[in-house]
Amino acid sequence: MIFTVARKNVWRNKLRSLVVIFAVTIGLLAGSFGVAMMEGMAKKRAHTAIYNEISHIQIHHPEFQENFEAKYNIPDSEHLISELKKISEVKSVTGRMILSGMINTSGGSTGAFIYGINPEDEKEVTEIYTFIKDSTGTYFEGNKKNLVLISETTAKKLKLDRYVITNETIRKLINAGFPKEDTLKLQSVLNEQFRSHKDYFYKLKELLNEELITEYEFLFIKYAMVFKPRARVVINIQNSKGELTGENFKVTGIYKTSNRMFDEMTVFVKKKDLANLTGYKNNTNHEIAILLTDRHLAKGTAKSLSEKYPNLKIESWGEIDPMIVMISEYMTIYNYFLIGLILAALAFGIVNTMLMAIMERTKELGMLAAIGMNRKRIFSMIMVETIFLTIVGAVVGLAINYGIISHLSKTGIDLSKQMGEAFEAIGYDSIIYPEMGLSYYIGITLLVILAAVLSSVYPAVKAIKLNPAEAVRTDA
């Protein structure tokens, strides 16, 4: 009976009830969408780090990472790799030769770590090959010698970048919100190739106003940049005898991940080409990267491998990059704090609404008490009314959020124009795919119920403290 009476009481003043429901809906929609955005960013960063940069487990000589000296390679590494492949939790394994060197062209030079890899094994462990655009080459196709895979950042440093505005560039700019009428001014440089970033923007400033260029600078680069075809670079490196050596390599492809720092420091060549250049044996490995069937197995598997191979340094992804673990853990705390803060603010509004409802129904509550409804039932009735109002708003808010997230988790939110460079600088993708797990829906629902119960206590206490004799004589 309490539930029936409470439900009817809620709709006696529809406008006030709808205002409370609307406030709860909007508050929870904003809060839960913020949670989904933060979760999407954190999970994408963890995925990118594991599948592009560090894998689930890495094995090194204990002293290799101190100064990256080539002499500290993993002893009998090929046998170790074959043993690792027999472990049921291990999905794939690859060995890498890692040497530091210089990459040079006539236009520029830069230092980098040269990764000597077995391309097919590497494809099983990392997703670097998926970050090569069709227009920027391929991933070590065929048996050609001396091919090198460099990043877009490295290509720019080596002055291999060119800029061409095509019809496709203009179409993408318009889709990103660039004023259509201003694209007419770009027709005069259509398909013209600029050999440097400086020349390209000098010409743009002649055609467009500076404010427009500043606003779309990142996209002007992103959509117009191409690279010098069939480019060659010289890799200078120290060989196994400690002497400086160098050789020409042809750029087979240019990749671009969301981590600019990783891109700046990482260059890939075939391991046999690096071995031929430096005189190291083809089976030399400075790093063994392991991908597991489940990332949650990494810590336990790394520990058991460390016990089995005590002379090697074996680390899980959480030990290699503790920042990712910290972000994931603190993100959960932060998200619940955000939701708690929103609910606390909403709670004041709910308390105020329920107090107004009680004041309007003073005479009615006095009558109920006079005809025998005890205080426990009056307290329960007010509490159920409050919980009902809050839960309806929460369900609507979470349902709308679920629909929005389901759509955006497939299409993504592209923030390239606004914060593309900033995201790349800290290793995050500028396209965010929001997501929110079932545990968050359950956690938020429990928080909503808790907030509703706490919000109902004060109005309910006020209701049961009414004196029935005085209450029935009031006009309310």
Side-chain angles (χ1 to χ4, degrees):
M1 186 189 80
I2 293 292
F3 288 96
T4 306
V5 173
R7 181 171 55 80
K8 289 180 178 176
N9 284 338
V10 166
W11 298 116
R12 287 169 61 180
N13 190 328
K14 292 181 181 176
L15 179 61
R16 186 169 57 209
S17 297
L18 286 173
V19 167
V20 174
I21 291 171
F22 183 73
V24 175
T25 299
I26 296 299
L28 275 180
L29 176 60
S32 55
F33 186 73
V35 168
M37 288 284 285
M38 301 300 279
E39 277 292 296
M41 286 176 62
K43 287 191 175 180
K44 186 70 186 294
R45 173 64 194 132
H47 179 92
T48 302
I50 290 172
Y51 288 92
N52 294 344
E53 303 162 22
I54 57 179
S55 305
H56 287 136
I57 294 175
Q58 285 188 357
I59 301 176
H60 300 97
H61 186 285
E63 297 182 57
F64 174 71
Q65 288 179 302
E66 291 181 11
N67 293 306
F68 295 95
E69 292 185 56
K71 64 181 180 181
Y72 294 123
N73 56 60
I74 301 169
D76 200 14
S77 56
E78 291 300 319
H79 175 69
L80 175 58
I81 289 173
S82 64
E83 289 295 311
L84 291 171
K85 288 180 178 177
K86 296 175 185 175
I87 299 173
S88 59
E89 293 87 357
V90 173
K91 185 179 179 183
S92 49
V93 187
T94 189
R96 299 162 180 157
M97 186 188 298
I98 304 175
L99 301 170
S100 57
M102 291 291 296
I103 320 294
N104 305 289
T105 64
S106 57
S109 64
T110 184
F113 287 110
I114 319 296
Y115 278 65
I117 59 171
N118 295 313
E120 293 307 313
D121 291 346
E122 194 69 25
K123 282 176 77 172
E124 300 295 322
V125 176
T126 68
E127 297 177 348
I128 290 294
Y129 68 96
T130 65
F131 291 89
I132 305 170
K133 297 177 189 173
D134 292 340
S135 59
T136 59
T138 58
Y139 177 80
F140 296 111
E141 289 186 352
N143 294 317
K144 292 180 180 177
K145 290 175 57 179
N146 288 359
L147 298 176
V148 61
L149 182 67
I150 63 175
S151 70
E152 191 175 293
T153 308
T154 303
K156 286 182 188 176
K157 287 185 174 181
L158 299 176
K159 308 294 184 195
L160 299 178
D161 53 325
R162 304 287 185 268
Y163 299 88
V164 183
I165 292 178
T166 62
N167 288 325
E168 181 68 8
T169 308
I170 292 174
R171 186 186 66 77
K172 288 179 178 177
L173 284 170
I174 293 173
N175 288 341
F178 189 83
K180 196 172 181 179
E181 58 273 18
D182 285 303
T183 59
L184 297 174
K185 300 173 184 175
L186 299 174
Q187 294 292 331
S188 62
V189 292
L190 199 64
N191 296 323
E192 182 179 346
Q193 187 177 99
F194 296 91
R195 295 176 63 85
S196 72
H197 179 279
K198 184 180 176 182
D199 293 344
Y200 174 52
F201 274 88
Y202 182 79
K203 190 65 180 179
L204 286 179
K205 286 176 183 175
E206 288 183 357
L207 301 172
L208 304 168
N209 69 63
E210 191 138 357
E211 188 179 333
L212 200 59
I213 294 172
T214 303
E215 184 180 352
Y216 288 88
E217 181 178 357
F218 185 79
L219 297 184
F220 270 122
I221 296 172
K222 181 179 178 180
Y223 296 148
M225 187 164 58
V226 295
F227 294 94
K228 182 181 176 182
R230 299 182 295 279
R232 288 188 174 275
V233 301
V234 177
I235 294 180
N236 291 313
I237 203 166
Q238 203 173 47
N239 65 20
S240 59
K241 297 177 182 175
E243 299 166 346
L244 195 64
T245 184
E247 193 156 334
N248 278 311
F249 280 73
K250 183 180 177 182
V251 177
T252 183
I254 295 174
Y255 70 90
K256 183 179 186 300
T257 72
S258 57
N259 189 341
R260 188 188 300 169
M261 189 177 294
F262 172 82
D263 288 1
E264 282 179 350
M265 296 304 297
T266 312
V267 168
F268 297 95
V269 299
K270 289 180 182 176
K271 190 194 281 186
K272 61 182 180 182
D273 292 336
L274 190 58
N276 290 336
L277 173 62
T278 59
Y280 288 101
K281 292 181 180 177
N282 195 31
N283 59 3
T284 300
N285 288 303
H286 297 104
E287 180 176 282
I288 294 176
I290 303 172
L291 200 64
L292 302 175
T293 52
D294 186 338
R295 73 174 186 175
H296 297 103
L297 299 171
K299 191 174 181 181
T301 307
K303 185 179 178 183
S304 62
L305 287 174
S306 295
E307 292 170 354
K308 189 175 181 179
Y309 303 102
N311 296 324
L312 294 174
K313 186 178 181 181
I314 301 175
E315 299 171 292
S316 66
W317 63 272
E319 295 168 308
I320 299 167
D321 195 344
M323 184 64 75
I324 299 174
V325 179
M326 192 184 76
I327 289 173
S328 299
E329 291 178 351
Y330 279 88
M331 193 66 75
T332 303
I333 297 171
Y334 170 81
N335 287 337
Y336 277 114
F337 177 76
L338 175 67
I339 294 294
L341 205 62
I342 291 171
L343 287 174
L346 289 172
F348 286 103
I350 295 168
V351 169
N352 184 52
T353 302
M354 293 310 297
L355 283 174
M356 289 174 63
I358 288 168
M359 287 176 66
E360 289 176 359
R361 291 157 52 195
T362 300
K363 187 171 185 177
E364 175 192 321
L365 292 169
M367 290 288 290
L368 289 172
I371 63 174
M373 180 179 260
N374 60 35
R375 293 183 172 184
K376 185 179 177 182
R377 287 197 165 196
I378 293 175
F379 187 94
S380 301
M381 184 179 69
I382 300 299
M383 183 172 280
V384 171
E385 287 179 25
T386 312
I387 294 173
F388 180 81
L389 274 175
T390 314
I391 291 292
V392 169
V395 169
V396 175
L398 290 177
I400 295 173
N401 181 57
Y402 178 79
I404 294 173
I405 291 176
S406 297
H407 173 70
L408 292 178
S409 63
K410 296 171 186 170
T411 60
I413 302 172
D414 191 350
L415 300 177
S416 300
K417 176 185 164 187
Q418 296 83 1
M419 294 182 284
E421 286 189 83
F423 274 119
E424 285 181 14
I426 58 174
Y428 283 82
D429 200 323
S430 57
I431 300 176
I432 300 171
Y433 297 88
E435 60 175 283
M436 199 169 86
L438 179 62
S439 61
Y440 270 114
Y441 284 100
I442 295 172
I444 291 173
T445 302
L446 292 175
L447 280 176
V448 167
I449 293 172
L450 177 63
V453 170
L454 293 176
S455 303
S456 68
V457 171
Y458 183 62
V461 168
K462 291 285 284 186
I464 61 176
K465 281 186 176 179
L466 291 173
N467 185 321
E470 293 178 2
V472 294
R473 288 198 293 269
T474 62
D475 294 331

